[in-house]
Amino acid sequence: MGRKHDYEITVQWTGNSGPGTSGYRAYSRDHDITASGKTTIQASADPAFVGDPQRWNPEDLLVASLSECHMLSYLSLCSREGVVVVDYTDTARGTMEESARTGGRFVEVVLAPVVTVAEAGLVAKAEELHERAHEVCFIANSVNFPVRHTPTIRVEGA
């Protein structure tokens, strides 16, 4: 059995404006996400579910987690394989479908990383390592919907 890692966070509801949950629109969905020694994330529900559009919501954070995990796995692999990455930006998109039976579920997340490498000779290996990053991403291995990646590789100064 491999190593075990535990993660502890606290989610504190901050949206009681007085009457608590006495009605569906009587309370705010605002909450704080904290972990020891880390900056607090002010979150809410998606605006479609009466949340604050200026705060992060669980759906945003799930898509962000998949994007971050892929990026960190990819950069680690690149560093070990001699692929010098000088820039990385991902515009990830997730699709969730609502259902009367299940409430809703994600059906897909598509990662679209744009990676800049130091020289043209690294492009093929840089493309190849995206598949391996997907295979080793902890978060992608933990979800029950497809996570696809459509990378673009650029060369610095080109």
Side-chain angles (χ1 to χ4, degrees):
M1 184 168 167
R3 295 182 300 174
K4 182 179 176 184
H5 304 274
D6 296 314
Y7 301 90
E8 182 175 310
I9 60 109
T10 301
V11 175
Q12 174 68 50
W13 177 46
T14 60
N16 183 0
S17 59
T21 59
S22 61
Y24 186 72
R25 297 195 180 275
Y27 65 96
S28 165
R29 276 57 175 177
D30 292 358
H31 55 279
D32 291 343
I33 304 169
T34 59
S36 180
K38 297 180 181 178
T39 304
T40 298
I41 296 174
Q42 294 183 326
S44 189
D46 184 282
F49 308 110
V50 197
D52 182 340
Q54 296 188 11
R55 289 180 172 232
W56 289 90
N57 62 60
E59 296 82 8
D60 291 333
L61 294 170
L62 177 61
V63 174
S65 292
L66 286 160
S67 176
E68 287 176 88
C69 187
H70 183 88
M71 178 192 70
L72 294 169
S73 298
Y74 179 77
L75 294 175
S76 175
L77 290 168
C78 286
S79 72
R80 290 188 228 161
E81 295 284 334
V83 175
V84 179
V85 174
V86 296
D87 193 50
Y88 184 111
T89 304
D90 183 14
T91 304
R93 290 181 174 79
T95 302
M96 185 185 74
E97 291 181 353
E98 289 187 66
S99 159
R101 186 177 65 79
T102 63
R105 64 183 291 274
F106 270 83
V107 295
E108 177 181 61
V109 168
V110 179
L111 309 177
V114 176
V115 179
T116 304
V117 295
E119 58 187 69
L122 300 173
V123 170
K125 188 68 170 178
E127 288 174 351
E128 175 188 319
L129 288 175
H130 276 286
E131 189 61 40
R132 181 75 181 121
H134 176 70
E135 292 170 1
V136 300
C137 172
F138 307 140
I139 308 300
N141 284 320
S142 301
V143 298
N144 65 353
F145 53 83
V147 179
R148 295 187 302 111
H149 54 279
T150 59
T152 300
I153 310 296
R154 296 182 177 158
V155 177
E156 183 177 37

